[in-house]
Structure formats: C-alpha cells, structure tokens
Amino acid sequence: MTDGDGRVRVALSELIALRNRIGRLKLPPQDSRATHIGTHTSRLYGRGMDYAESRAYQPGDDVRRMDWRLTARSGRLHTKLFQEEREGQLLIVLDQHASMRFGTRVRFKSVQAARAAASAAWYAARAGERVGLMTFGGHAHLQRPRAGVRGALDMCGAIARCDANSSDQSQALSEALHNLAKLQHSANRVLLISDGQSTDEAARRRMVETMRHTALRVLVVADALELQLAPPGQYPIEHAGERHQLTLQSAQQRRNFQRRLGAGQARLVQMAQSLGIPCRVIDTAADPLEPVLALLRDAGGHR
C-alpha cells in the first residue's frame, strides 16, 4: 500500500508520527479510588480488592499477580487484574462514507477524521488503555481493542487501508450503533467520529442504549462551507464524474447552500447535545489534538 498525500488520502506516516506529539503530553492524575465508566483507574492493588479478570502477561506486570492456573491451562503467561486495575478500553467508531471524502480547506474530512482517530489511539495507548476500531460506511472493518504501541500501530494501519479501499457503500448511523452494541461491553469508552451525513432519527434511540453501557463521545468533522456562508462567487464542483459550476451570489443562495451542505453535521450535533453527550466540532484545517483530548479527558459536559 502506497502512502497517501495527507490531503485527499490518509498518510500512514503522518498517523504514526502523531505518537511523538502525544508522548510529550503530561497525563492528568488518575483516580484510583473507584472504577468509573469513562475514566482511568490506576494499577494499584491491595488487600480486600475484588478479582476482575485475567489477561495475557505484558512486560512490566508484577509477577506476584500471575494467574498460574490460567497460565497452566493455556500455556501462555497471564496476569490477574483486580477491580481497580481493570484496563480502560477505548473503541473508536470511524465514519468512512463517501461524504467524508470532501474538503475545501487543507484536507478532506476523511483525512482529518483519520488524524483525530490516530491522536485518540496514541493517547489511549499512553494512558494504559486498550484501543480498538470499528469503521462504517464505505469500508467496514473491526479491530478489537488491543494494548500498547502495537494496538495503536495496528489501528493506524487499519485506518490507512480502509481509506485506500473505500467505496460508496452507505450505512445509517443507527445500524452502525446497533452493530456496536454487540461489541461495546468490552469497551468503557466509545468515540464516534463522523460528519453526521448518515445520522438518522433511529440513531437517537441507539445512542441512548449505548450510553447505558459505556461513555459515548462525539467528534464531528465538518468542512468550512458546512459551518459558515461561502463568499459570493462561482464554485467548480464534481459529482458522479461530471464537473459543474455552482453560482452563489445572493445571501439567500449562500444560506440555502450552507444549510443543505451542513445538514448532517448540524443534525448530529443537535442530537448529541439534546442527549447530553459531550460533543466537539472541528473543520478540516484545525488541529484535532485539543478537541480529542478534551473529549477523552472530560467526564461530562459538551460544547
């Protein structure tokens, strides 16, 4: 697979390089008093703590917490985790619809969404979380949550492959969230990244169901023309392989155009806000790191 240009196609090298930015961040203090949905917990342990689960041994694990029975049965080293040691798991739900392959400033929405997803993956990996990926529309892919640098690297590679092999296949957001329900029991946080064009009314009920089991966050990626009025003028557009000239002169023409173009993102933002789901909006020229960190660090609120 050849690397993309970072403008109309995802550049895998750029997604991997985002690890360096995340590595320079100062992580917020972790709360070790209790396990909460959507928050980190430390790997402290002590007397009286309830056993939660066992997982494959990772370098650095305390050998005193080895699960010798499971190790003997499976032939692979396993470590016991207790309630306050349970690993966080972040599942990123990434929109791959054809509407994402559009942009008038700097890069396509699809490329910006990939940059945001990679930033979230590297942050989760550094914070000790497992990270997984589910794509919908265009190219369906599932990567179950994995730990550490390898998990983030695998996810970056999957995003780049999905982008390179994208199609015009569509899928309603409600259907994607229904599929998510089969997977989310293993994830305590879900980050949905989309331009909102696939948002249907049935997605509201699916969001409510998702919120019962996990902390849902929404990042909406929009083009500048979806967020503000276009300047007066003529605009070349291409649809179904044909090029046309779009004339926007009057204020009414420009308002109607912006309303139609931005209907999806406005619908998703309104739905998230009405349900109290933390939500951020970024355009294709913005740095996605700050809004991604705000969503992953914040336990509540939206803007």
Side-chain angles (χ1 to χ4, degrees):
M1 181 184 72
T2 58
D3 206 12
D5 58 8
R7 295 177 63 251
V8 301
R9 284 298 183 186
V10 169
L12 178 57
S13 57
E14 181 183 15
L15 303 188
I16 295 174
L18 288 169
R19 178 188 180 189
N20 297 328
R21 291 192 66 192
I22 302 300
R24 294 191 292 268
L25 294 176
K26 182 178 180 180
L27 296 182
Q30 295 179 328
D31 181 7
S32 64
R33 291 173 296 177
T35 300
H36 302 285
I37 289 179
T39 59
H40 299 298
T41 57
S42 70
R43 294 174 181 254
L44 303 176
Y45 53 81
R47 287 187 177 182
M49 296 187 66
D50 295 331
Y51 169 78
E53 61 185 349
S54 294
R55 60 144 169 80
Y57 172 84
Q58 296 175 12
D61 285 349
D62 192 326
V63 295
R64 294 173 297 175
R65 299 297 162 181
M66 297 295 293
D67 187 335
W68 295 114
R69 290 184 178 180
L70 183 56
T71 296
R73 289 199 306 269
S74 66
R76 296 177 57 200
L77 292 174
H78 280 76
T79 302
K80 290 182 179 179
L81 296 181
F82 294 83
Q83 188 62 34
E84 292 197 9
E85 298 178 295
R86 187 185 295 272
E87 294 173 305
Q89 297 198 36
L90 172 67
L91 185 62
I92 298 173
V93 180
L94 183 62
D95 194 335
Q96 295 272 292
H97 279 94
S99 64
M100 297 286 287
R101 301 194 295 276
F102 171 78
T104 62
R105 302 289 190 278
V106 184
R107 57 183 66 86
F108 277 7
K109 290 185 287 184
S110 55
V111 176
Q112 181 72 311
R115 296 171 75 233
S119 297
W122 287 119
Y123 180 78
R126 181 158 183 241
E129 287 185 294
R130 291 172 175 257
V131 61
L133 173 72
M134 188 185 90
T135 64
F136 70 102
H139 187 95
H141 175 81
L142 172 64
Q143 177 178 304
R144 295 189 179 277
R146 299 173 186 169
V149 172
R150 174 54 58 187
L153 278 174
D154 288 348
M155 205 195 80
C156 289
I159 292 172
R161 288 191 298 273
C162 288
D163 180 78
N165 297 307
S166 57
S167 70
D168 293 335
Q169 194 171 22
S170 63
Q171 183 180 22
L173 179 58
S174 61
E175 183 183 347
L177 293 175
H178 175 68
N179 294 336
L180 171 66
K182 306 171 186 176
L183 311 167
Q184 71 183 40
H185 53 269
S186 64
N188 62 335
R189 294 198 291 176
V190 170
L191 176 62
L192 169 65
I193 304 177
S194 172
D195 67 353
Q197 298 294 342
S198 63
T199 306
D200 55 335
E201 188 53 39
R204 179 183 299 274
R205 179 167 59 87
R206 295 298 184 188
M207 284 185 177
V208 172
E209 293 172 355
T210 300
M211 294 164 61
R212 292 176 183 152
H213 305 285
T214 188
L216 177 61
R217 303 289 186 264
V218 176
L219 181 66
V220 180
V221 182
D223 183 72
L225 293 183
E226 297 172 339
L227 299 174
Q228 61 194 32
L229 293 183
Q234 289 190 326
Y235 294 85
I237 60 173
E238 183 173 333
H239 178 68
E242 297 183 3
R243 295 182 65 85
H244 305 274
Q245 285 288 335
L246 176 66
T247 300
L248 299 175
Q249 293 296 344
S250 70
Q252 187 61 47
Q253 284 178 322
R254 291 152 56 207
R255 278 194 295 269
N256 290 340
F257 176 74
Q258 190 246 331
R259 190 178 300 114
R260 290 196 301 269
L261 197 63
Q265 63 90 8
R267 192 162 54 243
L268 181 53
V269 169
Q270 189 279 329
M271 188 174 291
Q273 291 182 343
S274 69
L275 295 173
I277 299 171
C279 176
R280 289 291 186 103
V281 179
I282 58 171
D283 65 32
T284 57
D287 183 349
L289 184 57
E290 187 277 329
V292 164
L293 295 184
L295 289 173
L296 294 185
R297 287 174 170 174
D298 190 10
H302 60 266
R303 57 186 258 198

